[in-house]
Structure formats: C-alpha cells, structure tokens
Amino acid sequence: MTVERTAVGIVGGGPAGLMLSHLLHLRGIESVVLESRTRSEVESTIRAGVLEQNTVDLMVETGLGDRLQREGLRHHGIELRFDGHGHRIAFDELTDGRAVTVYPQHEVLKDLIERRIADSGDIRFGVRDAQVLDHTSDTPKIRFVDADGHSRTLECALVAGCDGSRTETRKLIPEKTVRADHFRQYPFAWFGILAEAPPSSDELIYANHERGFALISTRTPEVQRHYLQVDPDDSVDNWSDDRIWDELHMRVDGEGAEIKDGKIFQKSILQFRSFVCEPMQHGNLFLAGDAAHTVPPTGAKGMNLAIADVYALSAAMDRFFVASDRTVLDGYTATVLPRVWRTQHFSWWMSSMLHRLPEGSGFDRRRQIAELDMVTRSVAGRTLIAENYVGTPLHCGHPLF
C-alpha cells in the first residue's frame, strides 16, 4: 500500500471541497481532493446555480471569475406573484447595488477544476472506498482505492468532510453522545424541467397560486429551468409535456407575465428537506457544505452556504498551520452555525410563504396572501427579502477577518 502525505485531506470534489482546496492553495497550504466520480461526471451533472454577491465577489477576487463575468446572468431583483399580480423585489435599490448571478453549479465546478489543475492542484477523480481513520488523533489518515485500482493511504494533519448529503464522514461524529441531527421533511416537492425555450422573464418569478407554487427560472438565453409544486410521491411519468405547460400557464400567467413554451428535454422531482448537523467538527475532522447541512431550494442557498463554510474553514486552517494556533479552528462550528441557521430560517420562511400546504384551510391560504402583501408592500419587508437573498457579506462583523 502506497503512503502519501499532505496538510489537508479533502473528501469530496464538489463546490465545498474544490473551493476549500483552491483557498488553501492561495494561502500556501497543500491539500489532496478525493472524489468518487470521474471528472466528466462532475462537470456534466447539471445543477441549479444562483450565486450570491458574496460568492461572485470571492470567485472574482481569487481568480475564478473570468467566465462567470462573461457568461453569468446578473439579476437585480426577483418577482413575487400572488392573486394574479407581480411584485418586484429590487435588490439593487434595497441593498446598495448588490445582486445575484445565475451561473449553474456545474459551470462553477468546471472553473474550479480548471484552476486547480492549472495551479498543479492534486485532485483524484474516480476513487472508491475512501475511509477516514484516526481523525481524533494528531495523525489522521484516509485510505482509498484510486482510479487504477491501487490501495493508498493519505496521511494528513486535518481532514475536511465535503462529501455531500450522502456523506460518510459525518458518521464519524458519534451520534447522540456528540452529534445532534436536526431534520425537517416538507410535505411537498418540486417537479423540475429543463426546456429549450426563450426566457419568460428577465428575472426569476416566484408564484404563489391556489393550485400550488411555481418558479420561473433560467439557465442560459436558450435553456430555461422551471418548477412546479407537486406531491412528494408524484412521478415524472404522470406529467406529459402538455400538462406541464398548461399547469405553468395556470399558475403564473396574468398581469405582466406569460410563460413561453418550448421543447422539454429533462424532467425530475426534487424532494424538500432541511437538515443541520451539530457540531460540524470532531477531533481533526471538519464538515462543510451538504455533508453538514441542506436547505430547501426556495432561497437558492445550498452552494452559497457551502462556499461560506469553506471561506471560514480555510482561514481557520491557515491560522492553525501558520501560527500553530487551534483557537479559531476549534471555534469553526460556533463561527459558521449562526449563518447556517439564518439561512435555514430564510429558506423555510420563503417555502412556507409561497407553497400551498396540503392540509391547509381557507384560513391558511388567506394568511399567506396577507403575509405576501405585507412584505411586498413594506420597504422593510422587501429589504428583509433582498438582504437575505443576495447574502450578507462574509466580512461583515466576522471575528476571523
């Protein structure tokens, strides 16, 4: 068995793992990224991507922003629709010019991979059976089988668990005695489509309708991404193309909005869950991204929250390696959890305000409309949505920076 050494072993080559490796490199810290999928699989798995201002700024400042700035679609607001009328939330006016950028997650991953390879970064694709050992000691190890079938051991000082919601690294934090899992399953799901069609709107539309929620989004000028609220047990087989377009028109069309049809080439159902693991660390193991938490997609926060995690974690690791000081590293969970829970609240709030509740009564329906009317009519309400949607600055009031 071949034994190798590095400063930080990173399990998982998604946004959290690759961005952590990139940020550590900029701080002069070596890392190795272990990813079970092939490079082509990572780069071709189409995922949503609405980037907060924080994420965009970080990518640009760290040399990842060339293609993002050319191809990303900058949005200065969203529209909330209810009772057949649209109500715009103007981000730029309410947050001193901050905005979001539509740029799919797989494009972010392509940029990260290209940059890591250009910087001679060590990414191992196609590995299997990755197992973290001795993470509570000063010499943790990761055993794995590489893409060529060779058994290897990676010795490191610190381990980052960035292996997504189906994580194995989280299980290393003892359940009940150390780890508390906070979980919520929502009574609805999203039926998502990708379609070859012109944009139906210049900005995202979030529609509350008595038949259920709908989201009108975009990927490129030629490809659109739309969602319909459905039952969690529904199947894509129940939805013909005509039924999908009819339902989108019923839920969204009205004053100032009309859905533009096209050829649907992908259908999927996305379950709704909220999850937070506390603490996000144990010994010399540190979790980031979906390995530690997941949010409903209503607030477009998943990837952004992962980036915020590793931004803080890279700074804490830098303090550890440069100054031999564990204080900030040991406080990693306490540092990132407030943002995690604020994000959970925003995603839950948007979801509960916009979706039809299966057990809902006439009271619930009218309450939702009153809430939407209140937040869209009030400058304070619109500002609350705008500030949370574009993301609070990573530097603002942060003890690390």
Side-chain angles (χ1 to χ4, degrees), residues 256 300 348:
W348 166 85

Side-chain angles (χ1 to χ4, degrees), residues 106-277:
H106 62 281
E107 303 297 345
V108 174
L109 293 173
K110 288 178 184 177
D111 295 340
L112 280 163
I113 291 169
E114 182 179 14
R115 180 58 187 265
R116 291 304 298 125
I117 291 175
D119 290 338
S120 300
D122 195 341
I123 309 173
R124 314 285 179 91
F125 293 104
V127 309
R128 57 184 173 86
D129 301 331
Q131 182 181 12
V132 178
L133 304 169
D134 303 327
H135 72 280
T136 58
S137 75
D138 292 333
T139 55
K141 306 173 185 64
I142 308 174
R143 288 182 183 164
F144 64 98
V145 179
D146 67 19
D148 296 322
H150 301 130
S151 296
R152 297 183 178 275
T153 296
L154 181 66
E155 295 182 346
C156 40
L158 303 174
V159 176
C162 304
D163 48 340
S165 58
R166 297 180 180 178
T167 174
E168 291 296 320
T169 57
R170 184 200 304 150
K171 298 175 183 177
L172 295 171
I173 304 177
E175 191 174 6
K176 297 181 180 178
T177 57
V178 176
R179 191 183 90 227
D181 291 343
H182 307 285
F183 178 78
R184 174 183 288 273
Q185 179 76 47
Y186 292 81
F188 42 77
W190 276 6
F191 185 99
I193 64 165
L194 283 170
E196 295 175 358
S200 297
S201 171
D202 292 334
E203 297 174 338
L204 275 65
I205 298 176
Y206 289 77
N208 173 300
H209 191 273
E210 60 185 8
R211 295 180 64 87
F213 169 78
L215 172 61
I216 305 307
S217 183
T218 187
R219 287 295 169 267
T220 70
E222 297 79 26
V223 175
Q224 312 310 316
R225 181 66 154 167
H226 304 323
Y227 296 96
L228 290 165
Q229 176 187 349
V230 297
D231 186 274
D233 296 323
D234 209 335
S235 168
V236 295
D237 297 333
N238 296 331
W239 289 82
S240 67
D241 290 6
D242 287 342
R243 183 188 177 193
I244 292 168
W245 291 119
D246 287 346
E247 196 68 28
L248 283 167
H249 283 293
M250 283 189 285
R251 297 188 191 187
V252 180
D253 283 4
E255 180 185 83
E258 182 178 358
I259 302 303
K260 296 180 180 178
D261 300 10
K263 179 182 178 182
I264 297 172
F265 63 89
Q266 186 184 96
K267 304 176 184 179
S268 60
I269 290 183
L270 177 64
Q271 299 296 325
F272 260 57
R273 300 182 178 92
S274 291
F275 173 81
V276 178
C277 161

